Amino acid sequence: MKRRGLFCGSFDPFTIGHKNIVDRALALCDELIIGIGINQTKKYSQCAEVRYDMIRKIFEGNRQITVKTYEDFTIDFAKRENVDFIVKGVRNKDDFEYEYQQAIFNKEKGNIETILLCADPKLADVSSTRVRELLNKGENCNDFLPV
């Protein structure tokens, strides 16, 4: 039986921390969908097409990975994609508290488990927010981006 996982987020931008979670999640499933969530009320630094193209390029040739966008609740997307579990990365206790609440919601609403992977300690300070701030100030962020 093939196991399907979903790693979801806004990925604005997709960082080396995200890539680390994807690489580790691949050991847990046969297929991993990277779901780029689009929230019409949220302001992004990169449009969905740019984020989609960047992530597809990073994993080009990896047959275990599919990249998709979605605009509804993650749990609704997960059910539509018939995944076995959702994967989320946590860097600190604040991430854990938030993702724990989301995991409960996902289990109650869709009966889908969530697997929380702790960030690699070397990458725990890498966040899309911090990378966006550096980019906005014209700083070089190549060390934080997988491309």
Side-chain angles (χ1 to χ4, degrees), residues 69-92:
T69 60
Y70 67 98
E71 295 187 36
D72 50 347
F73 284 118
T74 297
I75 190 60
D76 295 329
F77 178 65
K79 286 169 41 180
R80 192 169 57 252
E81 292 297 324
N82 197 32
V83 301
D84 297 295
F85 57 87
I86 297 168
V87 175
K88 296 297 286 189
V90 293
R91 294 167 297 158
N92 53 44

Side-chain angles (χ1 to χ4, degrees), residues 20-130:
N20 179 265
I21 296 294
V22 168
D23 292 342
R24 292 165 50 207
L26 288 173
L28 305 173
C29 58
D30 301 295
E31 180 184 350
L32 183 68
I33 298 168
I34 300 175
I36 304 167
I38 301 167
N39 181 338
Q40 297 300 332
T41 64
K42 190 173 177 181
K43 184 181 176 196
Y44 298 104
S45 66
Q46 300 174 319
C47 69
E49 292 79 19
V50 168
R51 291 178 280 149
Y52 175 86
D53 289 342
M54 180 174 79
I55 296 169
R56 282 210 44 213
K57 183 179 176 185
I58 292 166
F59 297 104
E60 193 171 48
N62 187 326
R63 300 178 89 184
Q64 280 184 276
I65 295 177
T66 305
V67 182
K68 297 185 177 192
T69 60
Y70 67 98
E71 295 187 36
D72 50 347
F73 284 118
T74 297
I75 190 60
D76 295 329
F77 178 65
K79 286 169 41 180
R80 192 169 57 252
E81 292 297 324
N82 197 32
V83 301
D84 297 295
F85 57 87
I86 297 168
V87 175
K88 296 297 286 189
V90 293
R91 294 167 297 158
N92 53 44
K93 67 180 177 74
D94 294 332
D95 281 357
F96 176 81
E97 294 283 334
Y98 177 78
E99 296 302 346
Y100 176 74
Q101 293 301 318
Q102 291 299 308
I104 291 171
F105 176 80
N106 293 337
K107 183 68 175 169
E108 288 176 347
K109 189 170 190 291
N111 199 31
I112 296 178
E113 295 290 349
T114 300
I115 297 172
L116 301 179
L117 294 178
C118 295
D120 181 313
K122 295 175 283 191
L123 303 174
D125 288 334
V126 177
S127 74
S128 292
T129 301
R130 182 168 291 150

